[in-house]
Amino acid sequence: MDIIAENNNIILENAVDFDLKDIFTCGQCFRFNKTGDSEYTGTAFGKTVRISQCGNRVVFYNTSEADFRNVWFDYFDLGRDYSEIKAQLLKANDSVMENAVHYGSGIRILKQELWETVVSFIISASNNIPRIKKIIELLCENFGEKHCYEGNVYFSFPQPKVIAKLSEGDLSVIRAGFRTKYILASAKAVDSGEFDLTSLFELSTADAKKALRSLSGIGNKVSDCILLFALNRFDSFPIDVWIKRIVEFCYFENREQSIKTISEFAAERFGNLGGIAQQYLFYYAHDLRIGT
DNA sequence: TCCCAGGCTTGGT
DNA sequence: ACCAAGCATGGG
């Protein structure tokens, strides 16, 4: 892959294992939207970017070289060799994974902002992706910082200190239902310093998970998502209804298995690449529409 | 009308 | 330790 700076755009030539549609519709991220043919626009780390792709050529529009180096390179996990990861996952001669990897071959695990990921996956509980996106959009529009980009209005994700000052009534505009009090409680814990988000980066996966689960609204599955999508702990394997379905349907003979069994299966089968395997399977399961 | 959605918390055994 | 209800809201 070659990185070229040109006219305040950044161009990736010969990008491999990279597809904008796979990346932004596989369910890991809720703040990028399709704005054209093979083009997506969104905001992360307070910066809005428009990206288009034609084959192996990807263009980041109106983006400085510094922003690309400091934000987008890591955000899109561009330093990692996904071909090697795929090869590892396919070693087991696993036809299910082979289909899943083929289907979502351009997926990359984004390294998203920690606080945004915490709130986003609190909102994800017992919810569906279009409505998760809608609630997050309302949260940003109402309480984020407004800025303009290429003639359109975008919003940053509201910081803990902003949300911590709100009441449940204030937050009723986002229509998050029973999740509202979890968002508020977590914001207050972070804002007060009672919970130190940055310390998570230094902890082991198990310790970081234990810490995350002390926040309200964060249990086993949501903590796994945060570990995977913000801290890039690929050994975490979030188990939701879709993963449960595809594992039970495609891998198990007996479909009356417990979450713990699925977790053990994933650890044995996918090891420290479980998180990436999970994302290929999650995306593929939606395509198969298993159980629907 | 009923069921489900990237679950978690709480209160019962 | 495990289990079920309850939790708001919206869409099929």
Side-chain angles (χ1 to χ4, degrees):
Chain A
M1 182 187 72
D2 306 304
I3 301 170
I4 302 158
E6 192 177 274
N7 297 333
N8 212 29
N9 299 329
I10 302 293
I11 303 166
L12 304 185
E13 298 277 12
N14 305 315
V16 294
D17 305 310
F18 186 105
D19 182 86
L20 291 176
K21 178 174 184 290
D22 292 345
I23 290 168
F24 291 127
T25 65
C26 72
Q28 61 178 324
C29 164
F30 307 102
R31 290 256 286 153
F32 275 78
N33 295 309
K34 187 172 169 63
T35 50
D37 190 30
S38 296
E39 180 189 285
Y40 288 79
T41 303
T43 304
F45 293 92
K47 297 177 185 299
T48 299
V49 67
R50 179 167 63 92
I51 313 165
S52 73
Q53 177 168 22
C54 183
N56 291 338
R57 178 185 163 93
V58 182
V59 184
F60 292 69
Y61 290 98
N62 197 18
T63 301
S64 70
E65 211 168 341
D67 277 354
F68 185 82
R69 292 290 177 191
N70 295 331
V71 178
W72 305 120
F73 186 89
D74 286 332
Y75 187 77
F76 286 95
D77 203 17
L78 293 175
R80 201 181 307 272
D81 183 353
Y82 278 70
S83 296
E84 172 61 24
I85 288 171
K86 291 174 181 177
Q88 292 287 330
L89 288 175
L90 296 179
K91 265 187 181 173
N93 197 20
D94 173 341
S95 66
V96 177
M97 184 56 65
E98 197 172 323
N99 289 335
V101 165
H102 184 259
Y103 178 75
S105 64
I107 288 177
R108 305 186 83 84
I109 304 295
L110 298 176
K111 192 183 181 103
Q112 301 182 63
E113 197 176 2
L114 183 51
W115 171 243
E116 175 176 335
T117 309
V118 165
V119 177
S120 295
F121 282 91
I122 287 175
I123 291 168
S124 79
S126 188
N127 215 334
N128 56 63
I129 291 178
R131 209 166 84 83
I132 295 166
K133 290 185 70 167
K134 184 62 183 174
I135 292 170
I136 293 170
E137 185 181 14
L138 286 169
L139 179 65
C140 295
E141 284 175 2
N142 281 280
F143 307 109
E145 289 177 24
K146 180 178 177 177
H147 62 269
C148 292
Y149 180 75
E150 297 184 330
N152 294 312
V153 177
Y154 295 90
F155 296 88
S156 67
F157 193 92
Q159 293 299 307
K161 65 181 176 188
V162 175
I163 298 178
K165 291 187 177 70
L166 301 175
S167 67
E168 283 195 42
D170 296 331
L171 271 171
S172 64
V173 293
I174 72 172
R175 315 297 291 163
F178 62 85
R179 307 164 191 87
T180 297
K181 55 181 176 295
Y182 301 148
I183 297 169
L184 268 180
S186 294
K188 286 175 179 169
V190 170
D191 180 52
S192 70
E194 173 194 338
F195 190 96
D196 181 12
L197 281 176
T198 59
S199 69
L200 296 178
F201 290 97
E202 314 301 325
L203 298 178
S204 69
T205 300
D207 287 345
K209 179 165 181 167
K210 193 176 298 178
L212 280 167
R213 291 192 61 162
S214 75
L215 287 172
S216 84
I218 300 183
N220 183 52
K221 187 270 174 180
V222 168
S223 62
D224 277 341
C225 285
I226 297 164
L227 290 170
L228 179 56
F229 299 131
L231 302 176
N232 287 171
R233 305 298 173 89
F234 292 167
D235 52 338
S236 95
F237 187 89
I239 299 168
D240 60 30
V241 292
W242 292 90
I243 289 300
K244 188 168 183 297
R245 276 180 207 149
I246 194 169
V247 170
E248 288 175 350
F249 193 83
C250 296
Y251 287 105
F252 288 176
E253 295 292 331
N254 174 10
R255 294 181 193 170
E256 305 300 319
Q257 305 275 348
S258 69
I259 296 282
K260 185 177 179 184
T261 311
I262 295 175
S263 170
E264 287 168 350
F265 163 80
E268 284 179 23
R269 174 67 67 107
F270 308 122
N272 60 7
L273 295 178
I276 303 186
Q278 190 270 6
Q279 206 53 31
Y280 286 127
L281 291 173
F282 180 83
Y283 192 40
Y284 183 51
H286 279 69
D287 183 58
L288 291 179
R289 307 189 67 76
I290 295 172
T292 63

